[in-house]
Amino acid sequence: MKTVQDVAKVVQERGIEFFLCSFVEMSGAPKAKVVPAHHLEDMAQGSAGFAGFAAGEIGQGPHDPDMIAIPDFDSLTVLPWRPKVAWVASNIHVNGAPWPYCPRTILQRQVTQARKKGYVLKTGVEPEFLLVRRNSNGTCEPHDPLDTLGKPCYDLRALNRNLDFTTTLLKYMYELGWDPYANDHEDANCQFEINWTYADCLTTADRHTFFRWMVRTVAEQQGCLATFMPKPFSHLTGNGAHFHVSLWDAEKDTNLFLNERDENGLSELAYHFIGGLKNHAKALAAVTAPIVNSYKRLIRGAPRSGATWAPVYITFGGSNRTQMIRIPGPGRIENRTVDGAANPYLAPAVMLAAGLDGIERNLPAGKRNDRNLYETSLEELKAAGIEFLPTTLNEALDELERDEVVMEALGREYGEYYIRVKREEWKRYHDSVSQWELDNYLGLY
Ligand code: GLU
Ligand code: MG
């Protein structure tokens, strides 16, 4: 654990002038206050206060007392683009007690419970994003007018036109010690992904939060907008944030998901974890695919490139990208339901709880699927007993409401709040008449 003294040393050595004392609310978008470096001691004691109601969905009304951000110095990150400023993730406290509506605190609670059982969750995340331009008439399009291929994935020429952008990010991540190891042009026009090395789930959640902000910052410096929105364009593939997951022994730091002798390279424990993810998949979706737009990504109707690459069914398989859980290699599993809008803290918190429930109840993973599920007929899916992920946010919320394990993971009070906020979001969406309705109904009825 980094102490105030450790940070004071970094301030000295690196000439840090300011901190950004930061936290996230339900959307996962970071909020912060600037704190001059000579107030480090005060900040550590909780000098950064916030009017929570103004910050977003974090369980506060305009009448509530200040929320206090208590920084966790293990997350200290010097901004690569402004090296005299350092960002630090915090936990929210109110009236001297941890605030049950703080997503980082919710994840830490799950991490602590898992550690008591001897487990550490390690995660790696693949947050995809699109570079877009907003026109003055409100419309939006991919930012590079030359990036027009029907199958743009891995296109070297489009990658080359964006090398300044992506290599800047790669250098920054390298400087931060995240060990980025690959970057590609993804399946939608102007869509990219950068992969970095996995870590314990809290470290990855902090990095995921910082990453989204860093990508947007660098994009803005280059005159465009980076968006992690799950499905910005109906004719293009959406933005996933696939989670690669493994459980490790808390004492020995060995991967408990690994079994070299198994056909998928997975242990019994890993199969039960998959059983848990499948058992709770419908409720998990309310958190891992958390907005109205998320469900426009989780479809099988192909965009222009030929495949959504996003899951629709609750299945697992080998390196098969048409389903919810892929096994990319020995000792880890990939949850492909998670999208760019998922809160970096809440998503792993609920996945961990669901997986551990699978282990505790010895839930089976079921049969490995190797088919192209986008082309499997409804009859065949039914015959194989394959279930569907929710098709709307509202449906996912119904599932969450019924799921004790996922609700407990969020904390009952927060879970109920989450459902209230999200139902309201659904209602606002549902109450607005769309262009599609006008195009299809106005002349007909
Ligand atoms: N963009 C796809 C998604 O929304 C994933 C493509 C991939 O497999 O990387 O999940
Ligand atoms: Mg990808």
Side-chain angles (χ1 to χ4, degrees):
M1 280 254 297
K2 257 201 198 101
T3 62
V4 181
Q5 289 71 36
D6 297 331
V7 179
K9 244 174 99 191
V10 177
V11 167
Q12 275 277 306
E13 283 166 11
R14 312 262 317 239
I16 302 294
E17 294 172 344
F18 300 102
F19 292 106
L20 292 167
C21 188
S22 185
F23 67 93
V24 305
E25 42 79 60
M26 193 182 285
S27 75
K31 315 280 164 163
K33 268 192 178 177
V34 181
V35 179
H38 63 271
H39 280 287
L40 166 64
E41 296 271 352
D42 301 329
M43 181 176 76
Q45 301 299 318
S47 66
F50 298 84
F53 181 66
E57 301 297 352
I58 191 153
Q60 283 216 323
H63 59 293
D64 280 318
D66 269 13
M67 304 191 317
I68 302 300
I70 303 289
D72 178 345
F73 290 120
D74 283 343
S75 68
L76 193 79
T77 308
V78 177
L79 307 191
W81 62 93
R82 214 176 238 272
K84 295 203 180 311
V85 180
W87 174 88
V88 64
S90 316
N91 291 83
I92 293 299
H93 288 234
V94 176
N95 290 332
W99 186 233
Y101 298 80
C102 167
R104 194 172 192 273
T105 305
I106 291 169
L107 175 58
Q108 276 176 319
R109 195 170 56 223
Q110 290 308 308
V111 166
T112 306
Q113 282 179 15
R115 188 171 271 280
K116 279 191 196 140
K117 295 174 181 156
Y119 303 127
V120 168
L121 177 73
K122 297 201 184 184
T123 53
V125 66
E126 299 181 358
E128 296 171 331
F129 55 90
L130 269 137
L131 294 179
V132 300
R133 196 168 0 139
R134 263 205 114 157
N135 303 317
S136 49
N137 63 1
T139 58
C140 180
E141 58 194 359
H143 96 109
D144 177 359
L146 298 178
D147 192 339
T148 54
L149 289 184
K151 275 191 186 286
C153 204
Y154 313 126
D155 182 42
L156 175 62
R157 288 162 296 185
L159 190 63
N160 182 51
R161 283 196 299 278
N162 290 280
L163 269 187
D164 279 348
F165 171 73
T166 52
T167 57
T168 300
L169 284 167
L170 284 163
K171 277 191 235 164
Y172 286 174
M173 292 158 81
Y174 182 72
E175 254 174 58
L176 293 174
W178 296 7
D179 190 23
Y181 56 88
N183 156 234
D184 69 352
H185 187 296
E186 279 284 321
D187 193 57
N189 303 104
C190 295
Q191 187 184 38
F192 296 92
E193 176 179 317
I194 302 179
N195 305 125
W196 70 92
T197 303
Y198 68 97
D200 70 273
C201 64
L202 186 66
T203 300
T204 295
D206 287 335
R207 288 179 179 175
H208 188 182
T209 303
F210 188 87
F211 176 79
R212 296 202 295 203
W213 174 44
M214 179 164 69
V215 168
R216 291 176 80 103
T217 302
V218 177
E220 279 164 23
Q221 284 165 357
Q222 313 233 348
C224 60
L225 171 76
T227 182
F228 294 83
M229 179 179 167
K231 184 83 172 178
F233 302 105
S234 41
H235 69 294
L236 299 178
T237 312
N239 287 320
H242 307 158
F243 263 66
H244 292 251
V245 173
S246 49
L247 272 190
W248 291 60
D249 186 300
E251 296 304 320
K252 298 191 219 125
D253 199 31
T254 49
N255 184 355
L256 298 170
F257 273 15
L258 182 66
N259 175 6
E260 302 278 12
R261 289 182 307 279
D262 175 67
E263 62 158 344
N264 299 307
L266 294 183
S267 64
E268 272 304 299
L269 194 88
Y271 285 114
H272 292 315
F273 196 95
I274 292 177
L277 288 182
K278 283 179 67 185
N279 190 267
H280 297 285
K282 295 178 186 177
L284 290 178
V287 179
T288 59
I291 63 174
V292 165
N293 181 255
S294 297
Y295 296 84
K296 304 192 174 185
R297 166 179 167 263
L298 299 176
I299 56 167
R300 83 182 218 171
R304 209 171 54 156
S305 69
T308 63
W309 307 102
V312 185
Y313 311 108
I314 303 170
T315 56
F316 89 96
S319 189
N320 174 338
R321 291 183 170 81
T322 67
Q323 58 204 325
M324 177 181 157
I325 297 168
R326 182 173 79 107
I327 302 167
R332 75 187 145 118
I333 61 176
E334 175 191 31
N335 182 354
R336 299 176 63 81
T337 317
V338 195
D339 70 31
N343 183 302
Y345 301 95
L346 298 179
V350 292
M351 272 190 261
L352 177 55
L356 291 186
D357 186 53
I359 291 172
E360 258 143 53
R361 294 200 284 142
N362 283 330
L363 293 177
K367 257 182 52 196
R368 165 183 159 143
N369 167 71
D370 289 303
R371 308 170 73 165
N372 175 353
L373 288 176
Y374 298 142
E375 287 180 358
T376 309
S377 71
L378 221 54
E379 291 72 31
E380 287 172 281
L381 290 167
K382 270 202 184 126
I386 291 175
E387 293 199 43
F388 288 56
L389 287 165
T391 57
T392 63
L393 176 62
N394 208 35
E395 223 181 289
L397 294 170
D398 290 342
E399 298 290 345
L400 174 58
E401 209 157 29
R402 284 196 280 273
D403 193 309
E404 286 298 318
V405 170
V406 182
M407 284 297 273
E408 278 310 313
L410 292 172
R412 183 126 306 264
E413 187 181 343
Y414 187 74
E416 279 164 15
Y417 173 69
Y418 187 91
I419 290 171
R420 261 199 324 277
V421 168
K422 291 289 166 183
R423 291 262 196 230
E424 184 51 39
E425 185 174 329
W426 170 262
K427 187 176 175 318
R428 285 201 311 275
Y429 163 71
H430 191 256
D431 288 355
S432 96
V433 176
S434 69
Q435 190 59 43
W436 185 93
E437 287 162 280
L438 293 178
D439 292 347
N440 284 275
Y441 301 144
L442 201 66
L444 188 59
Y445 297 101

